[in-house]
Amino acid sequence: MSTTPTIARSVTKTVTIDRPVADVFAFLADAANWPAWAIVNIKAIERTGEPDWWLMATPQGPARLRIHGNAELGILDHDYVDDQASWQVPARVVANGAGAEFMITFFQPPAFTDDFFDEQITLVDTELATLKRILETGA
């Protein structure tokens, strides 16, 4: 049995948003906003009794989310935990002129096949387009 960590396959997605970086960060740092834009993966969300943790209804069943936000550095890393797996998702919001860039990196969990991971990553494009639309138009 090898104890050497392996390098996971990863994909980073980016979206440019024509809103001040502080507005984008504030919206994303509030997990209550996530069902509005993460429309494929989060159907509903509510606070739990544990500090910083949120309970989500997802297509795969219940899951928990915790955001590690730091506005000064634009960090929005988050932990995702469900009955079958858990992982960390690095995310950043950085200034891009008068607007912002949101970047999120996904590492393929060992339990995901390549095809399933590819399908999930493709769905993220829909979510990022929704995020952009909400923040730029309010709709």
Side-chain angles (χ1 to χ4, degrees), residues 106-129:
F106 300 93
F107 295 97
Q108 182 173 341
F112 284 15
T113 66
D114 287 345
D115 288 343
F116 181 74
F117 184 68
D118 291 343
E119 289 170 14
Q120 296 305 303
I121 291 303
T122 299
L123 295 172
V124 171
D125 293 334
T126 300
E127 294 183 333
L128 294 179

Side-chain angles (χ1 to χ4, degrees), residues 29 62 74 94 99:
V94 298

Side-chain angles (χ1 to χ4, degrees), residues 89-104:
V89 180
R92 302 290 182 272
V93 177
V94 298
N96 180 352
E101 235 20 73
F102 176 54
M103 299 168 281
I104 187 165

Side-chain angles (χ1 to χ4, degrees), residues 52-124:
D52 302 324
W53 283 99
W54 293 77
L55 179 62
M56 302 181 297
T58 76
Q60 288 76 39
R64 297 183 323 136
L65 173 75
R66 177 175 54 189
I67 301 171
H68 303 279
N70 179 315
E72 182 180 345
L73 299 175
I75 296 171
L76 283 168
D77 294 357
H78 49 283
D79 299 322
Y80 176 90
V81 178
D82 68 20
D83 289 341
Q84 296 150 15
S86 67
W87 55 85
Q88 293 181 324
V89 180
R92 302 290 182 272
V93 177
V94 298
N96 180 352
E101 235 20 73
F102 176 54
M103 299 168 281
I104 187 165
T105 299
F106 300 93
F107 295 97
Q108 182 173 341
F112 284 15
T113 66
D114 287 345
D115 288 343
F116 181 74
F117 184 68
D118 291 343
E119 289 170 14
Q120 296 305 303
I121 291 303
T122 299
L123 295 172
V124 171

Side-chain angles (χ1 to χ4, degrees), residues 37-57:
W37 69 271
I39 57 173
V40 174
N41 291 302
I42 302 175
K43 303 303 178 194
I45 195 164
E46 62 185 57
R47 290 187 183 276
T48 69
E50 299 175 69
D52 302 324
W53 283 99
W54 293 77
L55 179 62
M56 302 181 297

